[in-house]
């Protein structure tokens, strides 16, 4: 694509606008490189040249121009007219070339996913397979499998999603090469799925590869998978600075490409991380960047953007002790997700509700909210959605594990498989040994709160109070990062806290800090 555009730039520019066939190629190349305006300009040339021509060739080129237009739209995360633009290519017996039919089926599948027609999306891709197989190059087939996988993931069918993503990766690597545009898009979705199922190493390998090749490609779903998931992995690896770096890149991509959903997704992760580090003021600043008046829309793109924003508000409210306000917002997310059978979003909303209910002291309601989510998680293989929810949900999981072990399961609630509960708790212990934000999940294992801090621990607390990162603390004190982490774990244990901000507040309360 870049080579084509480079060659075109060497041609006499005055001759190009009147060449509709060449302009279509230019439009495709710019579209797939996320250059929306040059792609649109090329389409404008096509339409201006052929507006008064009525032969079959011209009609075919104009029809393909509509397909490119729809592709520009979905790359811009807009679906209001995409289905209409590609409709002629989706007849029962289309007489068009396989390429525009295959691409049109993928565009229409994207619309299906984001209008919650998940079964239709999967059926449409089954219909499109014949056109994918006869199209030159793997690109449409890769996209088709990725989109069918997104539909399955939304329904919490992670087995089918994983199979489709793997097929997409194999097709992309075999037909276009391991470093191709297609391979990195498919790899991003497969990496996200590996992460969700708890295979952090495989997820990191794939996502790092996708990021190295350039993540700003394809639809917003690919970019969200790359930036958000890599940031979470880096936190688990103990490197907050790398996590911030990925989120900053995602924020820049969202701004350059004008993608509000990507912006909201990245800011959602930024706000989570600020709160996990105890920095509520920075979290509030992140929220302020999102639109004040959350616009309502009927499609899944608008709903997802709004849900990210509502979830951010709910997290801030919860951090400030306004549990009722947070519950109202999270209940809205749950109701909307349930009404359109968006099972993944419904499950994550239940998890967030359970956390806030637990923080607010209503443990019975928290359990009632958590159990259906855990049942869905056990059935589908969700791991990180549960673990990443934090200590409050893990407290519920531990209580349910003990209830299962003692045969005192809460009445009138479905049973969660005990091996799934053990799997979540085991993964949590692994996290606790390496994460940048240490996890203390057994209060009984903490050292007595009256145990004094030594001079080095107080030095580290003072630097924490100044907002320094682990790397900056290590550099300031002449220590290694691992040594700083070791001191932090001791500090958290002695103070009986689980987070950086909490340690500063508790140390100040006890008189260790002014």
């Amino acid at each position: 694509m870049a080579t084509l555009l480079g060659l075109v730039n060497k041609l006499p520019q005055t001759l190009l606008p009147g060449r509709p066939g060449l302009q279509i190629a230019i439009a495709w190349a710019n579209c797939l490189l996320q250059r929306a305006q040059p792609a649109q300009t090329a389409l404008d040339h096509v339409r201006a040249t052929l507006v008064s021509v009525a032969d079959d060739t011209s009609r075919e080129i104009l029809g393909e121009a509509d397909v490119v237009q729809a592709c520009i739209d979905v790359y811009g995360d807009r679906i209001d007219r995409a289905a209409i633009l590609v409709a002629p290519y989706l007849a029962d017996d289309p007489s068009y070339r396989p390429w525009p039919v295959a691409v049109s089926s993928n565009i229409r599948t994207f619309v299906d996913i984001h209008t919650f027609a998940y079964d239709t999306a999967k059926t449409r891709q089954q219909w499109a397979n014949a056109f994918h197989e006869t199209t030159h190059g793997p690109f449409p087939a890769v996209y088709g499998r990725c989109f069918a996988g997104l539909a399955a993931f939304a329904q919490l069918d992670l087995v089918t999603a994983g199979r489709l993503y793997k097929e997409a990766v194999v097709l992309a690597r075999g037909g276009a090469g391991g470093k191709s545009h297609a391979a990195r898009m498919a790899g991003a979705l497969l990496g996200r799925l590996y992460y969700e199922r708890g295979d952090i190493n495989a997820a990191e390998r794939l996502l790092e590869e996708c990021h190295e090749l350039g993540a700003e490609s394809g639809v917003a779903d690919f970019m969200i998978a790359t930036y958000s998931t890599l940031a979470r992995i880096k936190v688990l690896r103990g490197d907050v600075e790398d996590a911030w770096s990925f989120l900053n890149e995602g924020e820049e991509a969202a701004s350059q490409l004008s993608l509000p959903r990507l912006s909201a997704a990245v800011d959602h992760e930024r706000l989570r991380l600020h709160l996990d580090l105890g920095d509520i003021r920075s979290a509030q600043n992140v929220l302020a960047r999102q639109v004040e008046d959350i616009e309502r829309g009927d499609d899944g793109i608008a709903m997802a953007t709004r849900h990210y924003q509502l979830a951010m508000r709910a997290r801030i409210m919860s951090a400030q002790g306004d549990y009722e306000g947070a519950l109202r917002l999270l209940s809205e997310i749950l109701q909307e997700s349930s009404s359109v059978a968006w099972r993944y979003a419904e499950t994550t909303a239940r998890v967030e509700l359970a956390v806030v209910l637990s923080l607010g002291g209503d443990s019975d309601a928290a359990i009632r909210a958590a159990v259906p989510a855990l049942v869905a998680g056990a059935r589908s293989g969700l791991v990180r959605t549960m673990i990443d929810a934090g200590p409050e949900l893990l407290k519920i999981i531990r209580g349910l594990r003990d209830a299962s072990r003692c045969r005192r399961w809460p009445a009138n609630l479905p049973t969660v498989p005990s091996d799934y509960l053990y799997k979540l708790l085991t993964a949590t212990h692994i996290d606790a040994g390496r994460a940048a934000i240490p996890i203390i999940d057994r209060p009984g294992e903490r050292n007595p709160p009256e145990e004094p801090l030594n001079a080095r621990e107080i030095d580290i607390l003072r630097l924490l109070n100044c907002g320094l990162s682990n790397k900056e603390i290590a550099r300031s004190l002449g220590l290694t990062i691992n040594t700083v982490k070791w001191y932090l774990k001791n500090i958290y244990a002695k103070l009986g806290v689980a987070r950086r901000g909490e340690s500063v507040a508790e140390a100040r309360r006890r008189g260790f800090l002014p």
Side-chain angles (χ1 to χ4, degrees), residues 256-513:
Q256 290 183 352
L257 301 174
S258 299
L259 297 173
R261 180 162 62 114
L262 175 60
S263 173
V266 169
D267 273 351
H268 182 259
E269 291 301 318
R270 293 169 69 87
L271 184 141
R272 280 173 55 112
L273 187 50
H274 279 308
L275 290 179
D276 284 344
L277 295 170
D279 189 351
I280 191 169
R281 179 174 298 177
S282 295
Q284 289 170 323
N285 291 338
V286 170
L287 180 61
R289 284 202 301 270
Q290 291 295 316
V291 292
E292 286 297 323
D293 296 321
I294 300 176
E295 296 184 4
R296 296 191 174 273
D298 294 332
D299 64 64
I301 293 169
M303 184 182 289
T305 304
R306 184 171 67 255
H307 285 186
Y308 283 127
Q309 294 166 337
L310 290 174
M312 284 189 274
R313 290 186 179 184
R315 285 179 176 272
I316 293 288
M317 288 178 174
S318 181
Q320 294 174 327
D322 182 5
Y323 302 121
E324 289 187 7
L327 290 173
R328 282 195 299 272
L329 297 181
L330 293 172
S331 296
E332 181 178 343
I333 296 174
L334 176 59
Q335 190 279 325
E336 288 189 348
S337 303
S338 301
S339 68
V340 294
W342 187 1
R343 300 306 177 204
Y344 178 76
E346 178 185 350
T347 300
T348 56
R350 290 188 189 279
V351 167
E352 294 294 328
L353 272 170
V355 168
V356 175
L357 287 165
S358 179
L359 287 169
D362 194 342
S363 57
D364 289 341
I367 291 170
R368 288 195 300 273
V371 166
L374 291 167
V375 169
R379 187 183 302 119
S380 60
L382 289 179
V383 174
R384 295 310 316 185
T385 288
M386 307 304 168
I387 298 174
D388 291 351
E392 288 299 320
L393 187 72
L394 295 169
K395 182 170 67 175
I396 295 171
I397 291 170
R398 189 178 308 107
L400 291 171
R401 177 207 59 186
D402 295 341
S404 175
R405 189 161 50 191
C406 301
R407 298 183 180 180
R408 292 199 301 261
W409 193 260
N412 302 319
L413 286 177
T415 303
V416 182
S418 58
D419 59 341
Y420 176 66
L421 299 175
Y422 277 98
K423 181 178 182 177
L424 297 178
L425 292 172
T426 300
T428 302
H429 284 295
I430 295 172
D431 286 358
R434 63 187 180 187
I437 305 167
I439 299 166
I440 300 175
D441 54 44
R442 283 198 180 113
E445 291 180 352
R446 301 174 187 171
N447 292 326
E450 64 273 11
E451 186 174 352
L453 299 177
N454 61 41
R456 177 63 82 190
E457 289 165 348
I458 292 174
D459 287 340
I460 289 175
L461 273 169
R462 287 175 178 147
L463 296 176
L464 278 182
N465 190 34
C466 295
L468 271 63
S469 68
N470 286 359
K471 281 186 178 180
E472 290 168 333
I473 292 172
R475 193 178 303 121
S476 176
L477 297 178
L479 305 173
T480 67
I481 292 178
N482 285 336
T483 301
V484 171
K485 292 178 189 174
W486 182 81
Y487 274 117
L488 285 173
K489 290 177 185 178
N490 287 340
I491 291 169
Y492 296 150
K494 289 181 178 182
L495 296 179
V497 299
R499 302 180 190 280
R500 296 164 79 92
E502 293 174 359
S503 67
V504 170
E506 181 64 15
R508 187 176 291 115
R509 188 187 70 80
R510 297 192 192 186
F512 293 122
L513 293 176

Side-chain angles (χ1 to χ4, degrees), residues 59-228:
R59 281 193 292 270
E60 183 176 346
I61 293 175
L62 286 170
E64 188 166 345
D66 284 344
V67 177
V68 183
Q69 186 71 68
C71 193
I72 294 172
D73 284 3
V74 300
Y75 274 20
D77 230 14
R78 302 184 304 274
I79 60 172
D80 53 311
R81 61 178 177 175
I84 296 172
L85 288 169
V86 302
Y89 289 92
L90 301 179
D92 290 338
D93 186 23
S95 57
Y96 303 99
R97 293 180 296 113
W99 165 264
V101 176
V103 174
S104 294
S105 69
N106 291 342
I107 291 170
R108 189 65 178 87
T109 300
F110 184 82
V111 176
D112 292 334
I113 292 168
H114 294 293
T115 52
F116 316 108
Y118 303 120
D119 290 335
T120 302
K122 290 185 284 187
T123 301
R124 194 180 304 280
Q125 280 305 310
Q126 292 170 359
W127 174 86
N129 278 336
F131 299 96
H132 292 325
E133 291 172 1
T134 54
T135 297
H136 179 69
F139 204 81
V142 170
Y143 252 106
R145 283 167 173 77
C146 285
F147 284 169
L150 283 172
F153 193 98
Q155 292 179 304
L156 280 184
D157 183 359
L158 269 61
V159 172
T160 298
R163 174 179 59 78
L164 290 165
Y165 294 159
K166 288 176 184 177
E167 289 177 7
V169 169
V170 170
L171 280 170
R173 290 176 174 172
K179 296 185 177 181
S180 64
H181 177 76
R184 66 176 178 254
M185 291 187 306
L189 295 182
L190 183 58
R192 180 205 177 191
L193 184 133
Y194 281 152
Y195 175 80
E196 184 57 70
R197 302 196 72 164
D199 191 344
I200 308 298
N201 292 333
E204 186 174 30
R205 284 194 301 270
L206 267 175
L207 290 165
E208 287 276 20
E209 183 178 303
C210 296
H211 175 260
E212 180 183 351
L213 295 170
E216 299 82 17
S217 58
V219 296
D221 303 78
F222 300 137
M223 290 178 261
I224 291 170
T226 301
Y227 293 121
S228 296

